[in-house]
Amino acid sequence: MNNKGLVNWAIWISVLSGIYVAAYLFTVGTFTSENVLPGYQIVYATFTALPIYFTAGAKREDFFKYCLSYITGVCWGMLYLWIMDRLAAYGIITNPWINIAVVVAVVCTIECALHFTVLSKLPISVVPAQFGAISNTFWCSNMSISILGPGASALAGFYSFAAVPVLMLTLCGGTLLGLICNEGLHFINEKTGSWQLPGSDK
């Protein structure tokens, strides 16, 4: 594709991203800031999900695999944090940095081994998407702790999962935005770079 086409694609991506963010803030974001977590911070998880899916080609047939893998990754992230919390609460590993290092090393090994082997054929095993979701789970939990305090079930104060459902929804929203951004290529003529209706260059 020539430079004109790339510029038109950039316009498509930026305009659609702006529309997405505005729509999110007036719907999910408003509900979340009023009922779950003050502020609109969770929308930023969109821009973890989008590039991971986008750089893999944002193929239509992979859309649900990525959504399910993001959700699975959030669940793994919650497990990491729950184990860290219990190890600290029971006095097994009280130094937080050693705790985090040990838990991440052990659980990550188990997670990758499972999803690389016995679970590899399931639509929950896009490991890069899982890692993106895990990192978002960590910061979202830390942010929730700083604003709301630890969750009631966190014995050592290692987590708050108050915003996790919204995080899952946002990661899936980022995947959808990635798909829509990639679909813009169908509206651009590959040879001339001009706008066109899909299929009109055939």
Side-chain angles (χ1 to χ4, degrees):
M1 186 181 295
N2 60 25
N3 286 339
K4 179 180 179 181
L6 292 174
V7 169
N8 282 335
W9 193 25
I11 293 169
W12 172 274
I13 292 170
S14 59
V15 169
L16 267 295
S17 295
I19 292 170
Y20 168 92
V21 170
Y24 182 102
L25 293 180
F26 284 108
T27 55
V28 177
T30 299
F31 171 81
T32 302
S33 66
E34 293 176 355
N35 300 283
V36 181
L37 189 70
Y40 296 92
Q41 305 93 333
I42 302 175
V43 68
Y44 303 129
T46 297
F47 300 102
T48 298
L50 187 158
I52 293 172
Y53 178 50
F54 195 69
T55 54
K59 299 174 184 176
R60 295 176 186 176
E61 61 270 24
D62 290 340
F63 174 76
F64 288 108
K65 282 201 294 189
Y66 274 80
C67 287
L68 292 173
S69 294
Y70 285 125
I71 292 170
T72 302
V74 172
C75 292
W76 275 109
M78 294 170 70
L79 179 62
Y80 281 83
L81 292 168
W82 183 85
I83 294 172
M84 292 173 196
D85 183 79
R86 266 31 186 193
L87 289 176
Y90 299 146
I92 299 170
I93 306 179
T94 55
N95 182 295
W97 298 113
I98 296 174
N99 185 328
I100 293 167
V102 170
V103 171
V104 168
V106 173
V107 179
C108 183
T109 300
I110 296 169
E111 175 192 0
C112 289
L114 284 172
H115 288 280
F116 287 163
T117 59
V118 295
L119 302 178
S120 63
K121 302 298 183 185
L122 297 179
I124 58 171
S125 293
V126 182
V127 174
Q130 289 184 21
F131 285 160
I134 290 167
S135 68
N136 278 271
T137 304
F138 288 172
W139 72 250
C140 189
S141 175
N142 286 338
M143 181 182 63
S144 299
I145 290 172
S146 68
I147 296 173
L148 304 174
S153 63
L155 302 181
F158 257 75
Y159 62 80
S160 172
F161 296 146
V164 159
V166 180
L167 175 62
M168 290 179 174
L169 178 64
T170 305
L171 290 167
C172 291
T175 312
L176 178 61
L177 180 58
L179 177 64
I180 294 171
C181 286
N182 203 49
E183 290 296 309
L185 289 173
H186 298 293
F187 293 89
I188 300 169
N189 187 288
E190 188 173 350
K191 294 179 181 178
T192 67
S194 300
W195 294 104
Q196 66 175 19
L197 292 175
S200 60
D201 58 340
K202 296 180 181 179

